[in-house]
Amino acid sequence: MAEPTPSTASEEQLQEMIAETDTGARNPTGAIPKKILFFVPLAWTLFQLWYASPLPFIFNIFVLNDTEARAIHLAFAVFLAYTAYPTFKSSPRKYIPVQDWIVGLVGAFCAAYLFIFYEALSDRPGDPTQLDLIVAVVGLITLLEATRRALGPPLMVVASVFIVYTFFGPHMPSVIAHKGASLSKGMSHYWLGTEGVFGVALGVSTGMVFMFVLFGALLESAGAGNYFIRTAFAGLGHLRGGPAKAAVVSSGLTGLVSGSSIANVVTTGTFTIPLMKKVGFKPEKAGAVEVACSTNGQLMPPVMGAAAFLMVEYVGITYVEVIKHAFLPAIISYIALVYIVHLEACKLGLEGMQKPVTRAFSRKLLSFVMTILFIIIVGGVTYYGLGWIKTVAGDATLYVVSILLLAAYLLLLAYACKVPELDTSHEITELPELGPTAQSGYYFLLPIVVLMWCLVVERLSPALSAFWATVLLIFIVLTQRPLKGVFRKMKGDDFTFKHGLDDLIEGMVAGARNMIGIGVATSAAGIVVGTVTLTGIGLVMTEFVEFISGGNLMLILLFTAIISLILGMGLPTTANYIVVSTLMAPVIVNLGAQSGLIVPLIAVHLFVFYFGILADDTPPVGLAAFAAAGISGGDPIRTGIQGFTYDIRTAVLPFMFIFNTQLLIIGVANWVHLIIVIAAAVIAMLAFGAGTQGYFLTKSRIWETVALLLVAFTLFRPGFWWDRFFPPLTQKPATNLVQMVEEMEPGAQLRMMLKGEKMDGSEFTKTVMLPVGDEGTGAERLAAIGIETRDEEGKTLIDNVVFSSAAEKAGIDFDQEILNIQVPTKRLPKQLMFIPALLLYALVWYVQRGRRNKLEAAGAA
């Protein structure tokens, strides 16, 4: 009996689920409300395009500072939260009640208050008037309700708890008690300044996230989402378990278009899940594969989830550096998922879809080599050609490059018109050919190339990079239809400029509506951040976590992972990341330093980010699993559990890169070292996938599973074993500090162990690493780092710390004692541990191959 396919009703329910979580569930029938829910998001998008562009500074019109822009951004988000989202599930959806109009307008006014009265508020910082306090209180209440509507109760409850903690500090348990805050001080902090609601998180939403969400929405509107899915199927659908492998790749590519795991599931799942069931996957496993790869879509650079942009501000590094650090874990995570899907297909004895054209191996190899050569040549010509143009053209470079981009677009569009248009139905009945399918949309890659060029080569800000990529994308959306009509010599509504304009406006409105939840989430999460800065709860958290963990870093990491998973059941990834990273990131860094482990801040933030994403498929609340089950017809809880087992690799990776930061491309010396790190990480993840699935070449025995997991662990953390035999560091006396710093190479890291006192008088030790600058005397180089020392009774003490220096940022303070200097030991590289690990891997492969051959021979007989 054939498997049932999703009915029209179920597809409508899935779209409704996306609306409820991402864009607002209301679809009013009245002309005026419908127009307002259309034109207000459109106005929001136009405002954000203006703010991101250089136009305000060119024309000196409507130039806004960050605080004013955040206020306008939040005003749009709050108003749309009240008008687009009903009060309760039982509330009307076909019209907007009068009270929602009123409260929405009041909330928008309170949010825009900082913009309207910016100068007056600037003249009285910390001295609010009665009107200021009324607006702040009302604004905070309306924001909490907007958060509940758009994101559900959890984030509203978390924010409310932190507000209560602020004002009722003296009445809290003694462990977390504080002196409390007055209404004036609290409201000034939360609403009338930039430490709370209008803080960094909302600034990132205003300045960066909106442009990237709009970029994704316009890509989808242009047809890129359908193109990515069908190209993935054309390339992988013929392989064993091909539709599932195509689901992994297409969901990774769809991560460019959608930052929502639920929308990703529905967008790609309507194609992939029925086909996975068709080739033999059970409903729960088909849904689980889609859930696992869709939730990981936010990990894929260059366009990651909103939390990645927050890392730029919280960690203090560029977006390019965030991409660099996140790249390898994301890639090996997806490679492992493809491999896990392959193992599942092998277990079930599944085949792929029928390939329309079968080519000889020699032709495949030639085609592959020619494609790689073409990419290398185009990349080289682009890089060096643009460099030459900048040298020759000078100020006219922008115009020259624009003409070249136009020429490239026209050529690629003409090339696309030599093959038939892609089918846009939500069903793939037969496998498309890879060549023509890929050819039909190469021009979609141009905006992505522009985005990466602006980010990586020109080093523009993420917002400005996304703006220029979006400008090109707007041009493509407007012109692709009429130009296709010219190239194909066809006429009709599908090939008119008006149709392109409709696509553009639809994409702009969709982009703004996708931002409602993110806008209110970053604002509400700002309440948590504001509470931490106002009350000092961060220091209390450090002491509390240190107490319950006994200072054990692994226990702290487990504690953090569990908190992220629990909060993530109710909070969106962005809000979850803000809350957990604000409270836990400093704790992990500090306690890691006290145990002698230098944990880079970016590693901790990525750790929290990964577990926040995993919450989307964690039962019993994982909404992505419910969406996938709605398509597959499977049980949502079993789908979520199966999806989480596939995602165990994503849960293990953060622990690995905390202890081996080379996985984040930190401390990688050269290209050879980089290749070794990448190769080891990929092999390790494949071994881990085989170990957790209990299947390699055939079903694994217990010792083989243990061996594969041991291989994975050794390849991920070779230093764990190597350090047991060869200590990585030698301790030198602190009295030699000046001399040793003088002899160090420029750019080397000075590693010291310090002892100091906490506020309560108890002692602590911690390890710090500081970069050593250019040539100079030891005292001069120490001064450049930001410290001066003195010798006292045979001890070396910190005598002075320069404000805002590297030393001050590392937490070094006056009168701390330098216990010792830790110097790297000259020893053989830890990568030698790869040899026994690979030999053990080969042994398992050899044993399983023999057993598989015997089983095949017995089956043939």
Side-chain angles (χ1 to χ4, degrees):
M1 184 176 174
E3 292 281 4
T5 55
S7 65
T8 305
S10 67
E11 288 178 12
E12 289 175 358
Q13 289 169 359
L14 290 168
Q15 293 302 325
E16 190 174 314
M17 180 181 285
I18 294 177
E20 285 180 359
T21 55
D22 288 339
T23 59
R26 274 210 181 109
N27 187 19
T29 53
I32 294 177
K34 206 173 188 69
K35 286 181 179 178
I36 288 176
L37 283 185
F38 177 84
F39 285 108
V40 171
L42 181 61
W44 190 7
T45 297
L46 294 174
F47 160 74
Q48 294 286 163
L49 282 169
W50 175 265
Y51 177 63
S53 76
L55 295 178
F57 302 98
I58 293 173
F59 297 108
N60 198 27
I61 299 173
F62 199 46
V63 178
L64 300 171
N65 62 35
D66 290 345
T67 305
E68 292 172 317
R70 293 172 192 180
I72 296 173
H73 179 86
L74 182 58
F76 275 113
V78 169
F79 177 76
L80 288 171
Y82 279 96
T83 51
Y85 290 86
T87 311
F88 304 106
K89 286 190 176 181
S90 58
S91 299
R93 302 190 179 197
K94 297 300 181 184
Y95 67 93
I96 302 172
V98 174
Q99 65 268 22
D100 284 358
W101 287 114
I102 295 171
V103 181
L105 289 170
V106 169
F109 169 77
C110 292
Y113 190 76
L114 267 72
F115 166 70
I116 299 169
F117 300 103
Y118 181 77
E119 289 187 11
L121 289 168
S122 300
D123 292 338
R124 52 173 190 270
D127 184 26
T129 63
Q130 187 174 9
L131 176 62
D132 294 342
L133 292 177
I134 292 171
V135 167
V137 171
V138 173
L140 213 54
I141 294 170
T142 54
L143 173 61
L144 290 173
E145 169 58 13
T147 304
R148 186 197 64 80
R149 290 186 181 216
L151 305 167
L155 181 55
M156 181 205 72
V157 171
V158 170
S160 300
V161 167
F162 276 83
I163 292 172
V164 170
Y165 175 73
T166 296
F167 292 112
F168 293 90
H171 307 290
M172 294 291 150
S174 58
V175 178
I176 59 172
H178 64 99
K179 66 178 182 180
S182 65
L183 181 66
S184 175
K185 184 177 181 181
M187 290 301 107
S188 295
H189 197 79
Y190 281 134
W191 199 265
L192 303 175
T194 56
E195 293 290 330
V197 170
F198 297 94
V200 170
L202 183 60
V204 170
S205 176
T206 307
M208 300 186 208
V209 178
F210 193 104
M211 290 308 302
F212 279 85
V213 170
L214 176 62
F215 180 76
L218 290 177
L219 268 177
E220 176 64 31
S221 183
N226 181 58
Y227 169 72
F228 291 147
I229 292 169
R230 293 185 181 273
T231 303
F233 268 95
L236 299 171
H238 66 285
L239 301 175
R240 188 186 290 267
K245 293 173 182 174
V248 177
V249 174
S250 60
S251 291
L253 292 171
T254 305
L256 287 170
V257 176
S258 170
S260 164
S261 55
I262 298 164
N264 199 329
V265 165
V266 174
T267 302
T268 58
T270 49
F271 291 90
T272 60
I273 291 175
L275 288 174
M276 281 190 267
K277 291 168 65 180
K278 188 176 180 181
V279 298
F281 279 89
K282 292 181 179 178
E284 284 80 13
K285 288 198 173 183
V289 169
E290 183 57 50
V291 167
C293 48
S294 292
T295 52
N296 283 188
Q298 295 179 67
L299 301 177
M300 284 299 290
V303 182
M304 301 167 67
F309 302 104
L310 288 160
M311 285 182 209
V312 174
E313 298 296 328
Y314 288 162
V315 183
I317 60 178
T318 65
Y319 187 62
V320 174
E321 289 178 285
V322 172
I323 292 173
K324 183 186 81 171
H325 296 315
F327 179 76
L328 182 55
I331 290 298
I332 62 176
S333 182
Y334 266 96
I335 289 173
L337 187 53
V338 172
Y339 184 59
I340 288 170
V341 164
H342 174 73
L343 294 176
E344 285 282 12
C346 290
K347 283 190 219 176
L348 299 170
L350 306 181
E351 297 297 329
M353 298 175 69
Q354 186 66 38
K355 200 170 184 181
V357 178
T358 304
R359 293 187 297 173
F361 175 75
S362 57
R363 289 194 63 190
K364 291 179 184 177
L365 182 61
L366 178 63
S367 176
F368 176 75
V369 171
M370 292 302 293
T371 302
I372 295 299
L373 286 174
F374 177 75
I375 292 172
I376 292 172
I377 291 169
V378 169
V381 169
T382 302
Y383 183 82
Y384 293 105
L386 281 177
W388 176 78
I389 290 170
K390 287 172 71 175
T391 304
V392 173
D395 294 339
T397 300
L398 178 62
Y399 304 104
V400 175
V401 170
S402 299
I403 292 170
L404 291 174
L405 268 175
L406 176 62
Y409 167 56
L410 293 174
L411 287 172
L412 289 173
L413 193 62
Y415 186 56
C417 289
K418 295 182 182 296
V419 295
E421 282 287 309
L422 290 179
D423 184 10
T424 56
S425 66
H426 281 247
E427 188 176 358
I428 297 178
T429 53
E430 60 181 30
L431 199 63
E433 288 187 55
L434 177 58
T437 304
Q439 182 179 334
S440 68
Y442 282 135
Y443 64 94
F444 287 132
L445 302 179
L446 284 176
I448 300 170
V449 171
V450 169
L451 174 65
M452 291 308 300
W453 179 271
C454 291
L455 278 171
V456 178
V457 180
E458 297 296 331
R459 298 282 176 159
L460 299 181
S461 69
L464 194 56
S465 300
F467 170 77
W468 289 118
T470 302
V471 167
L472 175 58
L473 192 50
I474 288 172
F475 179 75
I476 289 174
V477 174
L478 283 172
T479 60
Q480 64 172 341
R481 289 183 180 276
L483 287 174
K484 281 183 178 180
V486 172
F487 289 133
R488 294 187 185 278
K489 297 179 181 178
M490 298 177 70
K491 294 183 179 179
D493 290 341
D494 284 346
F495 301 101
T496 60
F497 180 81
K498 181 182 180 301
H499 203 315
L501 182 61
D502 290 342
D503 288 341
L504 172 63
I505 294 174
E506 181 184 322
M508 286 181 163
V509 172
R513 291 191 66 157
N514 287 336
M515 275 299 300
I516 300 171
I518 297 174
V520 296
T522 50
S523 307
I527 294 171
V528 177
V529 178
T531 301
V532 171
T533 56
L534 182 60
T535 64
I537 184 65
L539 294 174
V540 176
M541 280 294 297
T542 302
E543 294 176 0
F544 179 68
V545 172
E546 184 179 4
F547 172 73
I548 64 171
S549 67
N552 186 296
L553 183 60
M554 182 57 76
L555 287 178
I556 296 168
L557 292 172
L558 285 170
F559 185 57
T560 304
I562 291 168
I563 290 174
S564 295
L565 289 174
I566 292 172
L567 288 177
M569 291 181 186
L571 270 59
T573 303
T574 305
N576 187 8
Y577 164 76
I578 295 170
V579 172
V580 180
S581 65
T582 301
L583 295 174
M584 299 303 297
V587 178
I588 295 172
V589 172
N590 291 336
L591 296 184
Q594 289 181 28
S595 60
L597 180 68
I598 303 296
V599 183
L601 193 55
I602 181 64
V604 181
H605 281 259
L606 282 171
F607 182 93
V608 174
F609 181 41
Y610 266 62
F611 279 98
I613 288 170
L614 279 175
D616 277 347
D617 65 2
T618 305
V621 187
L623 293 177
F626 279 83
I631 300 172
S632 70
D635 179 76
I637 300 298
R638 287 167 60 192
T639 300
I641 293 170
Q642 184 68 59
F644 190 74
T645 62
Y646 291 152
D647 264 343
I648 287 176
R649 78 207 188 286
T650 309
V652 167
L653 262 177
F655 288 96
M656 293 298 106
F657 62 59
I658 286 286
F659 292 99
N660 180 12
T661 54
Q662 289 181 358
L663 293 172
L664 302 178
I665 322 295
I666 295 174
V668 175
N670 49 52
W671 281 102
V672 175
H673 191 184
L674 177 63
I675 291 170
I676 292 171
V677 168
I678 292 173
V682 171
I683 296 170
M685 190 51 86
L686 296 181
F688 183 79
T692 53
Q693 292 302 302
Y695 194 98
F696 185 22
L697 301 181
T698 186
K699 187 175 180 181
S700 298
R701 291 171 178 162
I702 292 177
W703 76 266
E704 292 168 341
T705 295
V706 172
L708 287 169
L709 294 176
L710 182 61
V711 167
F713 179 77
T714 303
L715 292 175
F716 274 133
R717 282 200 63 196
F720 180 84
W721 309 109
W722 202 244
D723 295 349
R724 298 292 184 275
F725 302 102
F726 308 100
L729 299 168
T730 303
Q731 295 182 357
K732 300 289 184 181
T735 50
N736 297 339
L737 176 63
V738 176
Q739 179 186 346
M740 292 184 66
V741 170
E742 187 169 334
E743 294 172 355
M744 292 178 73
E745 294 290 330
Q749 295 286 329
L750 171 63
R751 184 179 179 120
M752 303 184 298
M753 180 173 282
L754 303 172
K755 183 172 76 172
E757 284 190 3
K758 297 181 182 178
M759 297 293 288
D760 60 4
S762 60
E763 290 188 344
F764 70 90
T765 60
K766 70 175 181 178
T767 305
V768 297
M769 284 182 71
L770 300 166
V772 176
D774 297 330
E775 299 288 345
T777 65
E780 289 172 346
R781 298 176 92 177
L782 281 174
I785 292 171
I787 56 176
E788 295 177 8
T789 62
R790 72 178 189 273
D791 292 328
E792 189 176 289
E793 298 178 357
K795 299 178 181 179
T796 302
L797 304 176
I798 302 295
D799 194 42
N800 185 33
V801 179
V802 177
F803 176 73
S804 196
S805 64
E808 196 252 356
K809 291 176 182 176
I812 298 177
D813 207 346
F814 300 96
D815 289 333
Q816 289 178 350
E817 180 187 354
I818 303 176
L819 295 177
N820 56 61
I821 305 162
Q822 299 175 350
V823 181
T825 306
K826 291 184 179 179
R827 59 175 187 167
L828 292 171
K830 62 184 178 182
Q831 283 78 11
L832 288 174
M833 283 302 304
F834 292 167
I835 296 173
L838 293 174
L839 288 174
L840 181 58
Y841 204 0
L843 174 63
V844 176
W845 174 83
Y846 179 78
V847 171
Q848 289 211 2
R849 188 188 67 161
R851 192 161 71 248
R852 185 190 64 181
N853 290 342
K854 287 180 182 178
L855 290 170
E856 288 176 351

